Amino acid sequence: MRADRIDLLISRDEIHEYVLNLWADGPIAESHRKGGMVHDIVDRFGKVPRFFYEPSEPDIEWTHFSTWWGGILLCDYDNPHIRDLRYLHEIYHGATLPYLRDCSVAMLESKNFANERQASTLTEMAIYLELPELRELTFDHPIFMDRFLYPTGDFSRPDRQLVDHWKADSRTTFDFLLEQRRKVIEAPASEIDPADPQVIWLRRYGEQGRNWVRIWSERYGEVENAMLTLIERSAAGEREAAGRNHLAWLLSDVVSEGTGVPFHREARAFRDAFDTLVTAYDAAMTESGETAVKGKAPG
C-alpha cells in the first residue's frame, strides 16, 4: 500500500460520504443516495472504521483479499459501472464477513466460502434484479445472470416472473440464484461444457478458494483476532483509536516485513495461483470470440 495514499475513515457518516463519491453516476449511486439496498449494505460496512488505498505493488495487490483485514483497493476500469460492481462486491464482504477467535482451518474455509458465494451472487446476479437498468451499462458479453433474467437476449424484456418474485420475496429469490451458481460450480466435470466461458468463470471459484485457504492456513488467526479487536473496540466507542491502531499494525514490519504490503508472502503466492487458474477462463473466452482477462490488473 502506498503510505501517502491511504484514506482512513473513522465514522459511519464519513464512510457513507466517501463511498458516495466513489460511485459513477448511475443506478448503484442512486440506490445509495435514495436509501435503497446499496445504502443498507454501505451502512453495515460502516460498523467499524475502514480504509481505502492505492497499491504500491498493483500486480499482487489486485488479487489480495484486503477487505478481509479492513481495507479496499482503489482501482479503475474502462467501464466505471463495472468498477462499481467490484467496489460493491468488496463492500458487501466487509459488511457481512463473520470473524471467529480460535477458528479452525475447516471453519475458516466454510465461513469464507459461504460469504464469497453470497457476495458473488449479489454482484453478479441479484443486483440486476434490484437495479435492472444496470445491465445495459455493464458487460458487452453474455453473463451467467442473462440465462435467467434475459433468456431471449433482449435487455428490454426481462423475465417478468423472476422480476416479480424478487419484488415479492427477495430473500427466497436470492437463495434461488445462489443455488443456481452453486449447482454449476459443484457439478461433475462430465456435466459441464468446458468451452462455456460463464461456466468456466464460475467453476474457478472452488479451486481458487481452496488455494486461498491453503496459502493462509498458517496466519489466518492473526487477521481474525485483529478484526475482532477492531470490532469490539469500535462497539465500545473507541473507533478512532481502534482504526489508527489497526492500520499501524498492518503497516508494521511484523505484518508487511518492510514491504508496505500487509501479508506480502500470501499476496504473492495467491497471485501466482490465480494466474494459473485464469488461463483456463481466458482460453474459453478466446474460443467464443470474447475478450480474455489475461490474468492481469487493468492499467
Side-chain angles (χ1 to χ4, degrees), residues 234-256:
S234 297
E238 303 173 19
R239 287 180 69 108
E240 182 160 6
R244 296 193 184 283
N245 288 349
H246 184 77
L247 183 56
W249 170 73
L250 288 168
L251 292 173
S252 70
D253 286 348
V254 172
V255 175
S256 71

Side-chain angles (χ1 to χ4, degrees), residues 5 83 114 135 184 207:
R5 291 291 188 271
R83 178 206 60 202
R135 182 63 187 93
V184 167
E207 188 172 352

Side-chain angles (χ1 to χ4, degrees), residues 3-299:
D4 61 337
R5 291 291 188 271
I6 300 173
D7 296 324
L8 176 62
L9 311 169
I10 303 299
S11 72
R12 228 185 194 106
D13 287 346
E14 191 177 12
I15 291 167
H16 271 292
E17 182 179 4
Y18 188 95
V19 173
L20 271 169
N21 288 324
L22 284 182
W23 305 128
D25 184 17
I28 290 177
E30 189 76 356
S31 176
H32 190 171
R33 280 195 300 267
K34 291 190 173 181
M37 183 179 73
V38 174
H39 178 279
D40 293 345
I41 293 169
V42 176
D43 200 58
R44 292 179 67 186
F45 175 70
K47 65 181 177 287
V48 298
R50 304 288 181 179
F51 66 92
F52 289 76
Y53 67 96
E54 292 184 15
S56 54
E57 296 187 43
D59 183 53
I60 64 170
E61 289 180 273
W62 186 257
T63 52
H64 206 13
F65 187 24
S66 61
T67 308
W68 178 41
W69 32 265
I72 292 183
L73 173 75
L74 290 166
C75 60
D76 208 355
Y77 284 72
D78 291 338
N79 184 328
H81 301 287
I82 296 175
R83 178 206 60 202
D84 284 1
L85 288 175
R86 176 176 175 128
Y87 281 144
L88 184 61
H89 182 94
E90 297 305 320
I91 288 168
Y92 183 88
H93 272 311
T96 59
L97 267 167
Y99 296 92
L100 293 172
R101 296 197 194 277
D102 303 316
C103 177
S104 68
V105 174
M107 181 57 71
L108 175 78
E109 180 173 13
S110 177
K111 73 184 185 66
N112 282 24
F113 272 33
N115 188 258
E116 176 57 41
R117 285 194 296 268
Q118 293 162 4
S120 296
T121 299
L122 174 79
T123 55
E124 296 175 13
M125 300 185 78
I127 193 67
Y128 296 110
L129 283 168
E130 179 70 15
L131 307 172
E133 64 272 31
L134 182 65
R135 182 63 187 93
E136 286 188 296
L137 302 174
T138 57
F139 302 96
D140 57 8
H141 60 75
I143 62 174
F144 188 61
M145 183 59 174
D146 293 343
R147 305 177 187 201
F148 306 95
L149 187 54
Y150 302 107
T152 68
D154 183 350
F155 293 162
S156 68
R157 296 175 58 199
D159 183 284
R160 293 310 315 173
Q161 186 175 23
L162 186 58
V163 171
D164 290 344
H165 273 307
W166 177 259
K167 290 178 179 177
D169 187 352
S170 60
R171 182 183 294 271
T172 301
T173 309
F174 185 92
D175 288 343
F176 164 77
L177 297 175
L178 188 150
E179 291 306 318
Q180 293 302 312
R181 290 183 81 260
R182 186 173 182 175
K183 183 168 65 175
V184 167
I185 292 169
E186 297 181 359
S190 60
E191 295 181 7
I192 62 104
D193 179 358
D196 185 326
Q198 286 77 55
V199 168
I200 296 301
W201 181 252
L202 290 180
R203 286 176 68 85
R204 91 192 198 287
Y205 281 104
E207 188 172 352
Q208 181 175 299
R210 287 187 291 273
N211 282 335
W212 185 86
V213 170
R214 172 181 55 80
I215 288 164
W216 277 95
S217 61
E218 298 298 323
R219 299 190 72 183
Y220 69 91
E222 297 175 41
V223 175
E224 295 281 310
N225 289 339
M227 288 300 296
L228 282 165
T229 296
L230 178 65
I231 292 166
E232 290 161 2
R233 292 190 67 189
S234 297
E238 303 173 19
R239 287 180 69 108
E240 182 160 6
R244 296 193 184 283
N245 288 349
H246 184 77
L247 183 56
W249 170 73
L250 288 168
L251 292 173
S252 70
D253 286 348
V254 172
V255 175
S256 71
E257 299 178 325
T259 66
V261 177
F263 307 103
H264 189 276
R265 282 173 293 162
E266 287 77 10
R268 176 74 272 166
F270 187 70
R271 179 72 217 201
D272 291 343
F274 178 87
D275 285 344
T276 298
L277 282 174
V278 85
T279 298
Y281 176 65
D282 284 344
M285 291 288 279
T286 301
E287 181 69 21
S288 65
E290 299 170 15
T291 303
V293 175
K294 301 300 183 188
K296 296 298 180 183

